[in-house]
Amino acid sequence: MRLYKPSLTLLLASSFPPSSIASTPTLDNPFQTSFRKLPQKPCVSLFTRNGRVGCGTSNRDSMTGQLISWSAVVNSNYYDKLSDSLPKFVAVLDEYEYNAQTVAQIVALGSSSDSSSYLLQGILVLNHTESSSAALAYSSPAPENPSGDLYGNDDDYAWNTNGDGLINEDLFGVPTGFVADDAIASYIYTVANQQATDFLSDLSNDNAGVFDEETRTFPPIMAEFDIYMGPKDMDSITCLSWVDTDDIWRPKCLPLGGTSVWGLAGSPYERGSGDANANENGNANDKQPIVMVATNMDATSMFHDLSPGANTAASNILTILMAAKLFGESVTDDLLDGLQNKIMFAFFQGENYGSLGSRSFLRDTAYPGFECDQNGTVASVAKNKDGDNPKMACLSPLRHDLDFMDIGQIQSMIAVDQVGILSDDDTFYVHTSENGYYSDIMTVVGSDGWTVSDATNEGSVPPSPVSSLYSLSGGVGGIVLTGYDEAFAEKSFYMSHMDSTEKITISLEAVAQAATIVARTALAAAYGADYDNSAADTIAELDADDETLTALANCLLENGNCKLLSNYAKMERVNDRSEYEADLGIGPSLGNPPSYYPGVFDSRNGQPFVQVDGKSYGAYTGDKVYGDNTEDKFLIRPSMLAMSLHGLLNDYLGRGGSDGNSDSVEFKTCQSSSDCSDVAYCPNDNDKSVCTASKVCVCPRAHYHIALDEAIIPSPNNGTGIFTVSEDDEGVSPMYTEPYWSNDIGVNVYRASNGAANWTLGIGLVAAAGCIAATIYLNKRLQK
């Protein structure tokens, strides 16, 4: 984590010779001796409650070694001699060879019998190219049981049968980078193979231990790693509370997190109506209960800046978005408001790092429920405090929007997971937790030619927000629609940089069908006991060629900087500027290609903050009174993805009294929310209409919510990015943090100089100096 992270690819590629990318890379051209800042994605370190995971150099000094093809040496007849013969080396692997077993083998060999000499200097993982002979295989760096023992669940079910757990290993002293560019990867692969061949040739001549750089006609090509990620014995609690020698609190890391997005179908609950799950007598209130439709919005891999999440994130987001669109355009608010249950659509951030988003939201809404400090509840915009029904916020623990406190009791959840790749053709599976509802409906609302079956496994639900709900509530259950039965699809790359459309194919036919099934099941859930089988016919089947579906698929799978997401994020920025009279811009984008790593939780990526008398705080309990200055306010800058999802949910769910058909309701066009002050189809007091990227006024339905480890809280009366461990910490959350690291980290590749080259260079320098001296002497003589 840099102080603020521009794209690492841009940072490194900017210093890489453009000509070497455009043409075939080589270090054999005249005067070219290095690839300065090799374009690569680093495997970085993370700290946890119990230590560290991930990669990095062992200290601030660079680690340098010769590029050696690992497959060449490990398959040779001289493997038993290698530990006594190898020079300091960088192991070069094809991405299909990169797994826990291979890394353990490399590390074991790299630990020389001489304890003072550690031979392994790093690992370069190469994008698979035609020049590679590596066998293709499906693998995952995640453990076989992804749920593990998080929060005391002790779930050892092996959903991820391709998993080897590498992502949870501490690889301190093993810096690792991934090279994506085909031409560069091919060149490095060729060089590493040639150097391994040369080395093995020496061994075959019984010259073990005589691999002499000085005798090579062409000096070896080296890789130099500068990827320092902090000291070995570090954990999240220590780095968050770090105090320098001058006794100043200077944390060395930031927690992972970001912003979740949720929205309600139908009219919003009355603002300020209080406890979400009980009335003043402690009994369930008479509000419509909630059925949540939810999924994750993040992914991960060994290389965080390369977390494409095609099946593990993008297909899930796409399914829920299109289900929300189908739902919103098929039923009116009047109908929904009269049904037994209310439907909520939610996208949770940081689910791969301890269910950050779902647990943050569920703990705040109900389990046990959010409590604002005494006198901490204030208007989110101070100048609106005396207005009608202002949006409220909390100073400490800071929450920029308290509308989540007004929702009804959570009755159940419908989740989706990995529906873009199906284990069995045209077949989905429904996994039901204890006390889960609606599986009997979900299995019958699909379309002809598609099958929805009950999963055959019992007693375990796949990793999903349903797990959070069941765990926190002590029994409220749900169902998960997936593309797999007893284990993740065999031809998938769970938590891998290869979960990408370059390696796998996401079926839009499956996504379209999943969205249809989810929307129909959600409508049945809204009817509750009054549901009859004909109600599902209200929602038409989504076609795989639907224009919105294909456009969103391009954005989420191929280009996260696409025009569609950009337009929605820009409109959210315009709306926020109008409401808060402040412009924080747009948060970090998904990138091109997309990467779903959640990032660190700070003011540039979803941490809300409050401005009191011109100063910003992550939480506030100070002496100055909020609101004495009319410019006081709460602000938030989510990621571009979160802003886009916020705008899309407003658009899909916020058509008010409309059934989605513009012939029945004339939608008012707009350029900004100031054009939407008098629309007739948002009659609710909370429905101050807003403009959306489709350029029509809609009723606001979407909200942001923090996604942050439950043990970590912003430190009151400090700026953003300063956190402490909560006094209520139960010691069960993983507490992932990312260390601060330099903008200068990277990998250099260069050709080493040998003795002959040094003598030649020395003679050349002497000759050059003599020529300069002679020239100066002649000039002086000529001037006389």
Side-chain angles (χ1 to χ4, degrees):
M1 177 192 63
R2 306 168 197 79
L3 298 181
Y4 180 59
K5 46 198 294 192
S7 167
L8 182 64
T9 302
L10 292 177
L11 174 70
L12 300 187
S14 64
S15 57
F16 194 91
S19 60
S20 64
I21 296 178
S23 59
T24 303
T26 178
L27 290 180
D28 297 329
N29 291 334
F31 310 113
Q32 185 181 355
T33 59
S34 71
F35 291 151
R36 181 172 169 267
K37 292 295 185 186
L38 180 75
Q40 53 88 42
K41 303 289 187 182
C43 166
V44 304
S45 292
L46 295 178
F47 303 141
T48 70
R49 180 188 295 275
N50 299 316
R52 65 184 299 152
V53 297
C55 314
T57 56
S58 54
N59 53 52
R60 296 183 186 277
D61 295 333
S62 61
M63 297 177 66
T64 304
Q66 299 177 32
L67 296 176
I68 296 291
S69 167
W70 178 251
S71 61
V73 297
V74 78
N75 293 322
S76 73
N77 296 325
Y78 307 99
Y79 185 75
D80 57 341
K81 295 182 179 181
L82 292 178
S83 62
D84 296 322
S85 310
L86 273 171
K88 289 187 176 182
F89 71 99
V90 169
V92 175
L93 302 175
D94 183 282
E95 59 188 332
Y96 285 100
E97 300 170 326
Y98 186 56
N99 54 56
Q101 181 179 358
T102 300
V103 171
Q105 194 177 27
I106 295 171
V107 170
L109 179 65
S111 304
S112 170
S113 56
D114 177 5
S115 60
S116 65
S117 175
Y118 192 71
L119 299 180
L120 177 62
Q121 299 296 292
I123 297 175
L124 277 182
V125 182
L126 305 182
N127 183 22
H128 182 78
T129 66
E130 293 181 357
S131 61
S132 173
S133 60
L136 306 186
Y138 292 95
S139 63
S140 164
E144 287 189 342
N145 54 327
S147 297
D149 57 357
L150 283 178
Y151 307 104
N153 291 336
D154 194 24
D155 186 354
D156 59 357
Y157 187 86
W159 292 105
N160 184 31
T161 54
N162 292 334
D164 60 25
L166 181 61
I167 205 165
N168 291 333
E169 292 295 322
D170 179 4
L171 297 175
F172 180 79
V174 188
T176 304
F178 177 79
V179 178
D181 183 271
D182 286 344
I184 298 173
S186 181
Y187 175 72
I188 291 177
Y189 182 84
T190 301
V191 165
N193 265 304
Q194 183 60 55
Q195 296 192 158
T197 299
D198 289 344
F199 170 60
L200 294 171
S201 176
D202 284 338
L203 292 183
S204 67
N205 293 322
D206 294 325
N207 290 326
V210 192
F211 187 60
D212 188 356
E213 301 173 15
E214 302 294 323
T215 65
R216 289 293 177 195
T217 304
F218 296 101
I221 292 178
M222 318 288 286
E224 177 187 57
F225 287 83
D226 288 298
I227 306 181
Y228 181 64
M229 297 284 158
K232 179 175 179 58
D233 298 322
M234 180 62 72
D235 57 63
S236 291
I237 296 175
T238 303
C239 78
L240 287 172
S241 59
W242 189 271
V243 176
D244 276 348
T245 55
D246 56 5
D247 291 330
I248 295 178
W249 183 13
R250 291 192 178 95
K252 298 298 183 182
C253 60
L254 283 172
L256 298 192
T259 313
S260 300
V261 183
W262 62 277
L264 292 169
S267 299
Y269 292 100
E270 180 183 354
R271 180 169 289 158
S273 55
D275 193 313
N277 283 272
N279 62 20
E280 60 185 3
N281 298 317
N283 301 316
N285 58 38
D286 58 359
K287 297 178 180 179
Q288 283 177 290
I290 291 285
V291 175
M292 301 181 68
V293 179
T295 194
N296 63 297
M297 56 183 285
D298 66 297
T300 187
S301 78
M302 291 298 295
F303 312 100
H304 295 162
D305 285 340
L306 194 67
S307 300
N311 192 40
T312 53
S315 71
N316 300 342
I317 297 169
L318 193 54
T319 298
I320 298 300
L321 268 180
M322 294 310 299
K325 186 174 187 295
L326 289 172
F327 197 92
E329 67 189 13
S330 300
V331 291
T332 66
D333 282 4
D334 286 343
L335 172 63
L336 292 172
D337 293 346
L339 297 181
Q340 180 176 323
N341 299 314
K342 189 175 283 291
I343 303 300
M344 174 189 293
F345 293 87
F347 303 89
F348 291 124
Q349 181 62 277
E351 292 297 282
N352 287 287
Y353 288 95
S355 305
L356 301 181
S358 58
R359 288 184 67 91
S360 292
F361 182 78
L362 293 169
R363 284 172 61 88
D364 275 1
T365 55
Y367 315 109
F370 179 75
E371 290 187 12
C372 187
D373 288 352
Q374 187 175 7
N375 300 321
T377 302
V378 295
S380 63
V381 178
K383 69 177 183 179
N384 296 337
K385 63 182 179 180
D386 296 325
D388 294 333
N389 204 25
K391 182 184 291 186
M392 304 303 288
C394 179
L395 291 167
S396 182
L398 192 142
R399 298 292 186 271
H400 77 290
D401 177 0
L402 294 181
D403 280 358
F404 66 85
M405 297 184 69
D406 299 322
I407 68 172
Q409 184 175 13
I410 298 173
Q411 183 199 71
S412 188
M413 181 184 289
I414 302 166
V416 299
D417 184 50
Q418 301 182 61
V419 293
I421 298 177
L422 305 182
S423 294
D424 302 298
D425 292 342
D426 303 332
T427 301
F428 297 98
Y429 293 91
V430 185
H431 304 259
T432 306
S433 75
E434 187 177 347
N435 300 325
Y437 300 107
Y438 311 121
S439 62
D440 56 334
I441 295 173
M442 184 169 273
T443 55
V444 298
V445 296
S447 301
D448 292 342
W450 292 83
T451 301
V452 184
S453 299
D454 286 314
T456 56
N457 67 303
E458 295 182 0
S460 183
V461 174
S464 69
V466 169
S467 304
S468 297
L469 176 61
Y470 185 81
S471 173
L472 287 169
S473 67
V476 178
I479 58 177
V480 188
L481 179 70
T482 71
Y484 53 85
D485 184 9
E486 295 180 307
F488 298 159
E490 181 181 356
K491 296 182 178 180
S492 63
F493 296 100
Y494 183 72
M495 286 195 187
S496 170
H497 72 280
M498 292 193 284
D499 184 15
S500 160
T501 53
E502 291 187 358
K503 308 294 182 184
I504 60 175
T505 299
I506 297 298
S507 169
L508 289 191
E509 288 80 6
V511 170
Q513 186 61 209
T516 303
I517 293 168
V518 169
R520 289 174 175 174
T521 306
L523 182 58
Y527 274 93
D530 298 328
Y531 172 73
D532 63 60
N533 291 333
S534 63
D537 296 334
T538 305
I539 296 178
E541 180 180 353
L542 180 65
D543 192 277
D545 295 325
D546 179 85
E547 183 177 352
T548 302
L549 173 64
T550 55
L552 282 170
N554 175 68
C555 295
L556 298 173
L557 292 168
E558 304 292 342
N559 180 11
N561 298 332
C562 69
K563 186 175 181 180
L564 178 61
L565 293 185
S566 178
N567 284 345
Y568 272 92
K570 287 177 180 177
M571 182 53 70
E572 292 302 297
R573 178 184 181 182
V574 169
N575 290 341
D576 291 342
R577 185 168 59 215
S578 174
E579 181 176 359
Y580 298 106
E581 296 182 358
D583 186 1
L584 298 183
I586 296 173
S589 74
L590 279 176
N592 182 11
S595 182
Y596 289 89
Y597 178 63
V600 295
F601 188 67
D602 65 3
S603 60
R604 292 157 292 198
N605 186 40
Q607 183 187 1
F609 57 95
V610 60
Q611 290 185 339
V612 180
D613 199 27
K615 293 184 178 181
S616 297
Y617 302 92
Y620 186 72
T621 59
D623 294 332
K624 291 185 178 180
V625 177
Y626 174 89
D628 281 356
N629 186 329
T630 59
E631 297 301 312
D632 291 351
K633 66 193 70 172
F634 288 73
L635 295 170
I636 184 173
R637 187 179 87 155
S639 69
M640 178 177 167
L641 175 61
M643 294 177 75
S644 303
L645 293 175
H646 191 276
L648 286 162
L649 279 187
N650 276 339
D651 203 358
Y652 295 165
L653 302 177
R655 301 292 175 124
S658 164
D659 62 358
N661 185 344
S662 58
D663 293 335
S664 62
V665 172
E666 184 177 353
F667 295 108
K668 184 173 183 179
T669 60
C670 58
Q671 295 300 316
S672 69
S673 294
S674 60
D675 300 327
C676 301
S677 58
D678 58 350
V679 299
Y681 46 87
C682 295
N684 189 281
D685 287 342
N686 290 6
D687 276 358
K688 182 181 178 182
S689 54
V690 296
C691 191
T692 188
S694 59
K695 301 301 182 182
V696 297
C697 299
V698 299
C699 313
R701 294 291 181 261
H703 300 266
Y704 298 118
H705 200 86
I706 66 168
L708 180 65
D709 190 288
E710 60 207 57
I712 300 173
I713 59 173
S715 176
N717 309 320
N718 282 288
T720 58
I722 305 293
F723 299 90
T724 188
V725 177
S726 170
E727 294 179 356
D728 299 324
D729 176 28
E730 299 174 358
V732 296
S733 65
M735 202 184 294
Y736 282 100
T737 59
E738 185 177 309
Y740 286 105
W741 34 278
S742 169
N743 277 326
D744 294 330
I745 72 160
V747 181
N748 295 322
V749 175
Y750 63 92
R751 187 180 290 283
S753 60
N754 62 9
N758 288 336
W759 276 108
T760 301
L761 178 60
I763 293 171
L765 290 174
V766 171
C771 290
I772 292 171
T775 301
I776 294 172
Y777 175 76
L778 287 174
N779 280 336
K780 289 183 176 180
R781 291 295 302 267
L782 289 173
Q783 289 174 2
K784 292 180 179 179

